[in-house]
Amino acid sequence: CTAGWTASSATSGSGSVNPSVTTTYSIVCNGDGGSANDSVTVTVNPPPAPVPTASLSASSSAIDPGQSATLSWNSTDATSCTAGWTASSATSGSGSVNPSVTTTYSIVCNGDGGSANDSVTVTVNATPPQVQDINLSWVAPVEREDGTPIAMAEIAGYRVYYGTSQGSYPNQVDISNGSTMQETLGNLVSGTYYIVVTTYDMYGRESEYSQVVTKSI
């Protein structure tokens, strides 16, 4: 028997082949009565398509309200990419997003070897509270609580107490000048404030609270 794929001329046996493409192998066997032949085809399957990769990133992972971020993506071994935040189906590119709340964005890239996905979160920072000032002014008392007069020279200063619940004044400002009858409460966040003032004399004796003043900002 003879065949181009083996050097053996034995009438039976085996041999190894390693085709890179689909190949048909034949053998011819000769004898006194003539010859015979046969063939077999070894099919070489195409290599599997590579699995795609996908990568998504943001120009900034945290933004302030009203700002935008740029999302960029790229892939390998993909034929298209899809995402709800962009109309593009290109395998690489970028697009702008302007979320009002913290949002996670995703992309899926497809190819002959399957699909891949990636995601990125853009955090929207909390809106900082608005702050305002409250300007206060008052008139110095002319008499003590017992009805006796008090001179301006006897007034050593004032104390301003305030809080966000009537009757509870955890915050205090001391004004150690009896002739100063105004004060600014600064950097207050939005809310309703309850404010009272006391007077203290040169001996450290402090009056009761004044009437409550209510201010909303």
Side-chain angles (χ1 to χ4, degrees):
C1 295
T2 58
W5 46 271
T6 177
S8 174
S9 60
T11 57
S12 64
S14 64
S16 179
V17 293
N18 184 25
S20 59
V21 296
T22 297
T23 305
T24 298
Y25 297 92
S26 300
I27 195 166
V28 178
C29 294
N30 301 291
D32 294 338
S35 63
N37 62 77
D38 198 10
S39 63
V40 65
T41 298
V42 177
T43 301
V44 178
N45 298 320
V51 177
T53 66
S55 176
L56 179 64
S57 62
S59 59
S60 179
S61 60
I63 61 174
D64 291 330
Q67 292 183 327
S68 61
T70 299
L71 304 185
S72 301
W73 76 94
N74 59 71
S75 63
T76 60
D77 301 310
T79 56
S80 65
C81 295
T82 58
W85 46 271
T86 178
S88 174
S89 60
T91 55
S92 64
S94 62
S96 180
V97 294
N98 184 25
S100 58
V101 296
T102 297
T103 304
T104 297
Y105 297 93
S106 299
I107 196 164
V108 178
C109 297
N110 299 293
D112 294 336
S115 64
N117 62 78
D118 197 15
S119 62
V120 66
T121 298
V122 177
T123 300
V124 179
N125 299 322
T127 303
Q130 299 297 313
V131 295
Q132 297 186 39
D133 298 339
I134 295 179
N135 297 313
L136 304 173
S137 63
W138 56 89
V139 177
V142 294
E143 62 179 30
R144 298 179 181 274
E145 292 178 5
D146 61 3
T148 58
I150 182 171
M152 285 295 296
E154 297 178 276
I155 297 176
Y158 307 91
R159 292 189 178 99
V160 179
Y161 299 88
Y162 64 99
T164 55
S165 298
Q166 188 166 1
S168 176
Y169 313 111
N171 306 295
Q172 174 185 327
V173 178
D174 192 291
I175 303 162
S176 58
N177 187 335
S179 62
T180 299
M181 288 167 282
Q182 60 184 15
E183 178 64 20
T184 297
L185 305 180
N187 296 322
L188 300 178
V189 299
S190 299
T192 299
Y193 291 86
Y194 300 87
I195 308 163
V196 294
V197 178
T198 64
T199 304
Y200 61 91
D201 65 12
M202 63 182 63
Y203 305 107
R205 294 174 292 191
E206 186 175 4
S207 71
E208 297 291 336
Y209 291 153
S210 67
Q211 291 183 337
V212 179
V213 172
T214 303
K215 178 67 175 179
S216 297
I217 58 176

